[in-house]
Every structure is written in structure tokens, then in C-alpha cells.
Amino acid sequence: EVYLVESGGGLVQPGGSLRVSCAASGFRFSDLWMNWVRQAPGRGLEWVANIKKDGSERYYVDSVKGRFTISRDNAKNSLFLQMNSLRAEDTAVYYCTAGHYGDFRGQGTLVTVSS
Amino acid sequence: DIQMTQSPSSLSASVGDRVTMTCRASQGISYYLAWYQQKPGTLPKLLVYDASSLESGVPSRFSGSGSGTDFTLTISSLQPEDIATYYCQKYDSAPWTFGQGTKVEIK
């Protein structure tokens, strides 16, 4: 069974930085694209970024380009999202997901950007 | 970037009704579309992938259709447990955009 456990969220001031992580198990991590998806309170789902199996390609939603960096460590079955220059509108629960589609397996990690 | 537009944004129907919601892509995405169901306070659950393939364990009253730019999710007989917001998502190429959602309520 696929397990995804997100961590690293918290309260950060506008302009600050945060790194969230996702620990994966139950599947061959290096075989799948990995994604970050976020959901602001009371709002819909927003795809944020994804990374190819070997890390050679990365893509971002326009609103985070130049501020967020997605990365992965296939040896440790881990996915990361480095978030810099955070804004209030980045406040959301951040989920990692595996592959092109599939159930959301983790509970997410809440990132709150506020002074 | 390709935009994904869902309609209606909300609907109200009676138990047993046939319910249809649509997702339109601003450019063709072939069949690379998934539908998710998110019940209040829970995680999104995959219903349909590749536009029309039903995920294992999903009740057969759910079905997906379409290709190119126009897609449909149908609930053949609405049940009380189907109260949720439904999202489409493209995955043909980045960005893998979600639609804004269709909220389904019981009349």
C-alpha cells in the first residue's frame, strides 16, 4: 500500500522560507513522477509542482515560479519543496502525491504565512 | 497554459437523480484527465482516470467520458453519500491543472 507522510509545515512570516518534506513507502518511489498539491482553507485543489522520476525535469505553477523548488532523493524515498519569499496567499495544506493520478494518501502539512 | 473550466460550480439534485457535470479544457488534452471526489473534511479520492477508466472500488454509478477538450462525469443515480466537491485534473503536460470544482448537494 502507498504511504505518503508530509511534514515540515508551520507558521512563517511573509517573506520567510520553509522546507516541507514527504516520506514515501509502499511503492517504487524512483518509478514515479511526484507532485505537490495545495489546498487553501475553504478553497479548491491547486497543483503546485512536479518532478520527473530521475529529477531531470521540474515544473511549477506560475504563481510559485522563482520562489519554490521541488527536489527528490530517490535513495531515501523522499520528496521536498523548498519555499522562499512566502506570501499570505501561499497559506494552505500541502500534499504530496505520486504518479499522474491517484488517491491522496497523506494528511498533508499546513503552511501558514502570517505576521 | 491550458485552463480547465468546470460547470456548473454547484448543483442540487434529488436522491436517485442522474447528475452530470462537465470539465472543459481550453486546448485539447487527449484523454489525460482524472476526476476526484472530495467529501467535507476528507482527502480527495480518485474516481476516474484516463477520462473514462473507473478506479477500482468506485461504485459503478460513476462514469466518465470525453476526450480532447470536453469531458463529463456522470452519477447515474445520486446517493446521499455522493455529497462532495468534484474536481477534474489534466495530466497531459505541465502544469497539471485542476478545475475549480463542482459542489454537489442534495435537494
Side-chain angles (χ1 to χ4, degrees):
Chain A
E1 177 143 5
V2 173
Y3 287 99
L4 298 168
V5 180
E6 301 92 345
S7 62
L11 175 64
V12 60
Q13 292 189 337
S17 298
L18 205 60
R19 187 194 199 207
V20 294
S21 303
C22 171
S25 61
F27 64 102
R28 188 167 292 186
F29 183 77
S30 58
D31 280 355
L32 294 179
W33 284 72
M34 293 296 295
N35 311 280
W36 285 102
V37 175
R38 66 185 179 184
Q39 187 166 35
R43 305 295 296 273
L45 301 170
E46 181 179 35
W47 175 87
V48 174
N50 65 3
I51 185 167
K52 197 175 180 179
K53 308 173 206 182
D54 60 0
S56 61
E57 296 179 33
R58 312 172 193 209
Y59 299 95
Y60 302 90
V61 68
D62 283 349
S63 60
V64 309
K65 283 179 183 175
R67 300 189 298 123
F68 289 13
T69 302
I70 188 172
S71 62
R72 65 191 296 163
D73 184 339
N74 285 347
K76 296 183 177 179
N77 292 344
S78 295
L79 179 72
F80 307 99
L81 186 67
Q82 176 67 43
M83 302 182 288
N84 298 330
S85 302
L86 282 161
R87 305 167 180 168
E89 54 265 36
D90 296 318
T91 294
V93 176
Y94 286 73
Y95 300 99
C96 66
T97 67
H100 289 66
Y101 47 78
D103 287 347
F104 285 48
R105 298 286 183 168
Q107 293 303 309
T109 188
L110 175 62
V111 173
T112 303
V113 184
S114 175
S115 54
Chain B
D1 293 344
I2 297 174
Q3 306 302 314
M4 305 301 292
T5 303
Q6 290 186 241
S7 61
S9 55
S10 65
L11 65 88
S12 182
S14 299
V15 173
D17 282 355
R18 182 181 182 88
V19 169
T20 298
M21 62 194 79
T22 65
C23 176
R24 176 164 290 175
S26 58
Q27 297 176 43
I29 58 170
S30 186
Y31 58 85
Y32 297 107
L33 186 101
W35 289 95
Y36 291 86
Q37 174 195 63
Q38 187 176 29
K39 298 181 181 180
T42 69
L43 296 172
K45 172 185 168 60
L46 178 68
L47 298 177
V48 171
Y49 61 94
D50 291 348
S52 60
S53 296
L54 198 67
E55 173 71 344
S56 176
V58 173
S60 58
R61 64 180 179 274
F62 290 93
S63 64
S65 64
S67 67
T69 60
D70 293 309
F71 302 86
T72 299
L73 178 70
T74 298
I75 308 172
S76 61
S77 177
L78 186 68
Q79 300 301 304
E81 60 266 33
D82 300 335
I83 299 311
T85 300
Y86 295 82
Y87 298 93
C88 63
Q89 185 194 18
K90 64 178 281 295
Y91 50 88
D92 62 315
S93 62
W96 292 5
T97 308
F98 285 90
Q100 80 279 16
T102 291
K103 186 174 183 179
V104 174
E105 298 174 324
I106 296 287
K107 191 180 294 183

